[in-house]
Amino acid sequence: MRILGIETSCDETAASVVSRSTDDGPLRLESSVVASQGDLHAATGGVVPEVAARAHLAALVPVVRQALADAGCSWDGLDAVAVTAGPGLPGALLIGFNAARGLAFARGLPLIPVDHIEGHVAANWLPAEVGATAEAPPELPALALVVSGGHTELLLMEEHGHFQRLGGTRDDAAGEAFDKVARLLDLPYPGGPPIAKLAATATVRRTRLPRAWLRGSDDFSFSGLKTAVANLVASPDAPPPAEIAWAFEESVCDVLARKAARAAEREGVASLLVAGGVAANRRLRERIREESPVPVHIPPPSLCTDNGAMIAAAAFRHLGEAIPAESAIDIFSTAVRKAAVKRAARTA
Ligand code: KG4
Ligand code: ZN
């Protein structure tokens, strides 16, 4: 079985072909094409939703064609089309969703809507390289830490396709904090990679920034840290930017690693999965491996940031939920998901 995965929830237009030769067998990554809009949004220091949507419109068809060509796959070789249904930017999601629906309709293929956050977690079932087949998949139950530009969530995954949300950020997402602090330090968007690069050059490593532990909960908070950085940058005796970047990265990675490790211990899971763009951070990968009481799985950096392969990978667990392309279907935005999480917390 071969699935084409399409992802357009934020600022990456991505498509990929993923296959599986036996039911429940390991996944093979046949191709993964990502057209990043990073440079387009650098001038504004963040994603402008309409600009993102229009860029997806321009990039989508060439990206899909390339993903099929790289996989050496014809339309007849596909069994389903999977696409991100949300959460994400509504305009951006609509471009990918409608394109996937059109392709599925034209080719008579089933359409599998995929949750973006679940997609990030599913990247842990992919091999590290194109042309390879996954080895040693993670053991369940697992605890998943999803850290991206839009989300910071701790999820308990008892079985495939089933997640219980233990906690998440109460304000900024971890990646959002990297992006905002980058702006304070005059670094380009997206802020994660340049902050990590600058932090690695710090010669003095003394500054200690606050950590919001929010004890007794699996929630996170990064807005106080961002304010602390802003105050430090503005103070007359501010340390050099490299030391600030280092102290910031330490604070974020310390909280994420310790809270994820403690939750993994408490829940008695068999593995700890890390996913999302911030999981590409070297220091976070290191700290989580230091703290975790159970085996840690983190996709290679190229499969941590948004990609189509993770959407196809997640779709293999939802084959029974495929829908005809002409059915009444909709996307769901990040705002809709956040409101649902708040409602659930109030009634819990
Ligand atoms: O998962 P992703 O590609 O998109 C969303 O779903 O949001 O994550 C993008 C986020 C951005 O905030 C970016 O700054 C962050 O991931 N990021 C990193 C690194 N690479 C990307 N953060 C820290 N260190 C990195 N190396
Ligand atoms: Zn993402």
Side-chain angles (χ1 to χ4, degrees):
M1 160 157 274
R2 196 173 271 122
I3 297 183
L4 169 69
I6 295 178
E7 152 65 35
T8 65
S9 70
C10 188
D11 59 347
E12 253 90 38
T13 314
S16 157
V17 177
V18 176
S19 65
R20 188 170 79 176
S21 51
T22 55
D23 281 359
D24 219 29
L27 298 180
R28 182 178 162 81
L29 180 57
E30 309 237 3
S31 66
S32 181
V33 179
V34 180
S36 178
Q37 305 173 6
D39 292 348
L40 192 62
H41 301 296
T44 42
V47 178
V48 176
E50 185 188 332
V51 173
R54 295 169 84 147
H56 285 308
L57 193 56
L60 200 120
V61 170
V63 164
V64 169
R65 277 193 203 284
Q66 192 64 48
L68 288 174
D70 289 358
C73 176
S74 69
W75 284 104
D76 290 335
L78 290 175
D79 297 290
V81 179
V83 63
T84 307
L89 300 169
L93 288 165
L94 284 170
I95 302 293
F97 202 91
N98 211 27
R101 172 193 215 185
L103 293 170
F105 182 74
R107 303 300 312 186
L109 292 168
L111 181 69
I112 307 176
V114 172
D115 181 288
H116 181 79
I117 296 175
E118 183 177 341
H120 273 302
V121 177
N124 283 293
W125 273 265
L126 285 167
E129 282 164 28
V130 171
T133 300
E135 294 164 18
E139 254 186 74
L140 296 181
L143 187 88
L145 172 71
V146 182
V147 274
S148 73
H151 314 278
T152 301
E153 310 232 328
L154 260 186
L155 307 165
L156 182 61
M157 184 181 181
E158 308 250 21
E159 52 181 302
H160 282 290
H162 293 274
F163 294 87
Q164 184 194 336
R165 187 181 185 278
L166 301 178
T169 185
R170 293 188 186 171
D171 38 60
D172 293 345
E176 193 180 354
F178 271 93
D179 297 337
K180 287 178 176 172
V181 165
R183 223 180 301 172
L184 293 171
L185 296 176
D186 286 328
L187 296 170
Y189 172 87
I195 287 189
K197 213 167 146 197
L198 183 62
T201 68
T203 45
V204 180
R205 302 182 167 199
R206 247 192 323 257
T207 299
R208 189 179 163 86
L209 286 165
R211 284 132 169 86
W213 293 111
L214 306 180
R215 291 191 202 283
S217 97
D218 288 321
D219 282 348
F220 299 92
S221 166
F222 296 108
S223 69
L225 173 61
K226 174 192 64 192
T227 307
V229 172
N231 291 339
L232 191 60
V233 169
S235 81
D237 45 13
E243 191 178 343
I244 301 178
W246 171 81
F248 165 77
E249 192 181 47
E250 283 303 302
S251 171
V252 174
C253 297
D254 195 23
V255 173
L256 290 173
R258 286 191 204 221
K259 291 201 75 161
R262 292 299 83 80
E265 198 171 0
R266 187 192 67 222
E267 298 294 334
V269 294
S271 44
L272 173 56
L273 316 178
V274 193
V278 183
N281 185 280
R282 212 178 43 83
R283 184 63 180 140
L284 179 63
R285 300 163 86 92
E286 197 173 86
R287 287 291 290 118
I288 288 190
R289 291 204 163 100
E290 279 168 11
E291 294 288 336
S292 179
V294 292
V296 175
H297 296 260
I298 314 178
S302 62
L303 295 175
C304 284
T305 46
D306 290 348
N307 63 84
M310 68 187 205
I311 301 305
F316 277 94
R317 302 296 175 178
H318 293 281
L319 298 176
E321 291 149 52
I323 53 176
E326 61 271 39
S327 45
I329 40 185
D330 200 2
I331 53 104
F332 63 102
S333 69
T334 298
V336 166
R337 182 184 157 100
K338 283 189 175 160
V341 166
K342 269 200 185 135
R343 264 199 313 278
R346 271 203 304 272
T347 53

